[in-house]
Amino acid sequence: MADSKFCAGCLRGDKDITAVSWCSNCCELVCKACSRVHAQMSPPHKVILTQEIQQLSSSLLTLPKNCDNHRDQKIALYCCQHDKVICDACVTVSHQNCKSIFSIEKAARGVKDGTAISDLEKRISNLCKVTENRCSQSDKTLVDLQESRTKIKTRVSEIKQKVIADLDTLEAEMHKEIDSKYKHCTESVSRNKNSIQFNADSLCTWKRDLNSLKQHTSEVHLFQVVKFLDAKTYQKELEIREIEAATVPILKYHPPESESNISKLVPDLGVITVENVQVQMPVLDIDQQCQFLVKDERKFSLTHSFQTTILWNEVCIIRGCFIPDDRLLLCQYHGTQLFVCKLDGSDSSVINLYYTPHNISLYDKTHAVVSVGDAGIQIIDLTSLKPGRIIKVEGTCSGITCVKDKIWIKNKSNTLTIVDINGKVFKVIKTTFDAYQICASQDGDVYCTDWDSNKVFLVSSDGKEHEIYNSPDLEDASGVAVDDRGDVYVTGYVTGRLSNNIHRISNDGQKHDIVLSADDGINGPFGLSYNNETRELLVINEIGSSINIFKTQRTLANEH
């Protein structure tokens, strides 16, 4: 608990009054009189007896209230883009371009039941478990080696007592061999440790050099450096995998066969060997999740960008998807046309509909489906580029996505419906939230944003749902997409304005980051789509007035 035993408020008045409680609102110790004052504030502060928190770390009870960079300013805000608590002065100094800044009270809302704290608790618990086990196993290995050496020496000495005196020489040689093998074991362990340290030093050096080169060298030179270190890093990965699979040396004694008949001439006192055994250790959760951590190293590079006015004068695009032959199928806002074009906006053509399109999804290589409100679902022939038949469904079709020959639609409040291409209803799923945008993964799960909150939900085909992520940056999230590895991409809409961030969330919600932001040219993203075959992300940008396409850049580590 806190080092001081005195009331913080009284100390400011030069009085040493013993504290009996702790105010969680003010994060300070209080005496009996002050605790009554804090409890009577409006709204009342939460006051806890010191006995109940005496085991807590003082560093966590007395977190600083003022900003590290501006000592005279109170921490009052949270920057979602940088995942950092800041003060008002920080906004004008280092967060001018950050669009997702909230009051710390709003950002903290629901933290006790959120994914961030549960993820942190799991990670800390797992790391504690693994480090304790590792330390225990290392101590045990050293003790076992020492005990093995002692037991073998003792055993050899017992056998020595049964033979004639001239075997003393053999005994001495045997002890020498035991020490030699023991030395071999310890040297082997030390070599492995040195190899690990060498690799760690190299990686740190490369990381430092890259950070420096990004600031000082040209893009061509930096590109060459990246390619050079890419191959080097791959070799390091191979070396580290070999180290991870390395065995542990132990000493084992094999007594001579003539031990039972010691009166006969004994040519030797046995053989000392070093046997490597695999140590069984618990799997570290972060190792299980390392695939996602490697994916965090994937970067997006802009490959195509065009203004939507090249398709039609003053046209505004709200939704779109990739279709075969490196083409896009795009929905306009407040119109009855679809546009087909190349990835750079060229070679465009128009598909005229009878109804206003709400959303669009690729069904198979020759068909797409469009939600057209009260009319139902419009089938689009991608070969002839003409509208096909209408699938009638109940309600008003808005969100739509396809997976494994099934079409998921949002057609009623708090309802998702699964139909086939002929309109046969397979399942009607009632949800606790009102889905806004929906997108299916290759596994058959559907990820949904919520009309009424900043949460992202997963809904499986059997109707089970659970929240995987929430962020103040995702109020009325206007776009969602899922990539070939199951990561979810979401754009945000915050209190009447579009966010300039695109969030990436692992399919279980345990990992998340911002992969594209204003620094990447993102300005009011409105819709998303992902091409699993080409690993490209379509971003409908600038509130529908431009299209950006980003391609995933993967290193050798990602491919292996």
Side-chain angles (χ1 to χ4, degrees), residues 168-179:
D168 287 344
T169 301
L170 286 176
E171 179 195 20
E173 292 177 353
M174 198 63 179
H175 283 184
K176 183 178 179 180
E177 184 179 1
I178 293 168
D179 290 334

Side-chain angles (χ1 to χ4, degrees), residues 184-185 188 192 246-251 273-279:
H184 170 77
C185 291
S188 176
N192 286 338
T247 55
V248 176
I250 63 172
L251 293 174
T273 61
V274 175
E275 296 184 7
N276 293 314
V277 297
Q278 189 70 48
V279 178

Side-chain angles (χ1 to χ4, degrees), residues 124-140 281-282 284:
I124 292 175
S125 297
N126 183 246
L127 287 171
C128 288
K129 176 183 176 183
V130 172
T131 52
E132 289 173 4
N133 200 299
R134 289 287 180 181
C135 289
S136 176
Q137 184 60 50
S138 297
D139 291 338
K140 185 178 182 301
M281 301 295 291
L284 183 60

Side-chain angles (χ1 to χ4, degrees), residues 283-320:
V283 178
L284 183 60
D285 285 352
I286 58 174
D287 290 337
Q288 293 177 320
Q289 299 162 359
C290 66
Q291 186 181 22
F292 183 81
L293 295 177
V294 170
K295 287 192 290 182
D296 280 351
E297 297 172 0
R298 294 182 301 160
K299 301 299 180 183
F300 286 96
S301 61
L302 182 66
T303 58
H304 299 89
S305 180
F306 62 89
Q307 295 296 308
T308 56
T309 51
I310 72 172
L311 304 174
W312 197 279
N313 289 335
E314 298 182 359
V315 69
C316 178
I317 300 299
I318 57 168
R319 305 292 173 213

Side-chain angles (χ1 to χ4, degrees), residues 333 361 560:
Y333 181 64
S361 178
H560 292 271

Side-chain angles (χ1 to χ4, degrees), residues 414-415 429-435 450 452 457 459 465-467:
N414 299 91
T415 303
I429 300 172
K430 294 295 184 179
T431 59
T432 61
F433 62 96
D434 194 14
D450 183 14
D452 302 317
F457 292 87
V459 179
E465 69 170 70
H466 68 272
E467 174 191 339

Side-chain angles (χ1 to χ4, degrees), residues 144-246:
D144 289 346
L145 283 170
Q146 189 175 24
E147 288 180 353
S148 297
R149 181 180 65 166
T150 302
K151 288 179 180 178
I152 295 170
K153 283 188 174 184
T154 301
R155 184 75 172 112
V156 170
S157 297
E158 290 174 354
I159 295 175
K160 185 204 68 172
Q161 300 304 320
K162 301 177 183 179
V163 300
I164 57 179
D166 58 358
L167 294 180
D168 287 344
T169 301
L170 286 176
E171 179 195 20
E173 292 177 353
M174 198 63 179
H175 283 184
K176 183 178 179 180
E177 184 179 1
I178 293 168
D179 290 334
S180 174
K181 290 294 196 294
Y182 175 77
K183 181 180 179 183
H184 170 77
C185 291
T186 56
E187 288 177 348
S188 176
V189 173
S190 297
R191 281 195 301 272
N192 286 338
K193 180 180 178 182
N194 292 337
S195 177
I196 294 171
Q197 187 61 51
F198 175 77
N199 282 300
D201 292 341
S202 297
L203 292 170
C204 288
T205 299
W206 296 346
K207 181 178 179 182
R208 184 187 65 247
D209 292 346
L210 276 176
N211 287 333
S212 177
L213 286 172
K214 281 195 295 186
Q215 302 176 22
H216 302 295
T217 190
S218 67
E219 288 190 343
V220 171
H221 182 245
L222 182 60
F223 179 78
Q224 292 175 320
V225 170
V226 168
K227 293 303 176 183
F228 174 77
L229 290 182
D230 184 62
K232 292 287 189 181
T233 302
Y234 175 60
Q235 293 300 321
K236 291 296 182 187
E237 289 171 343
L238 296 179
E239 293 175 16
I240 291 173
R241 287 193 182 104
E242 290 180 359
I243 292 171
E244 287 180 330

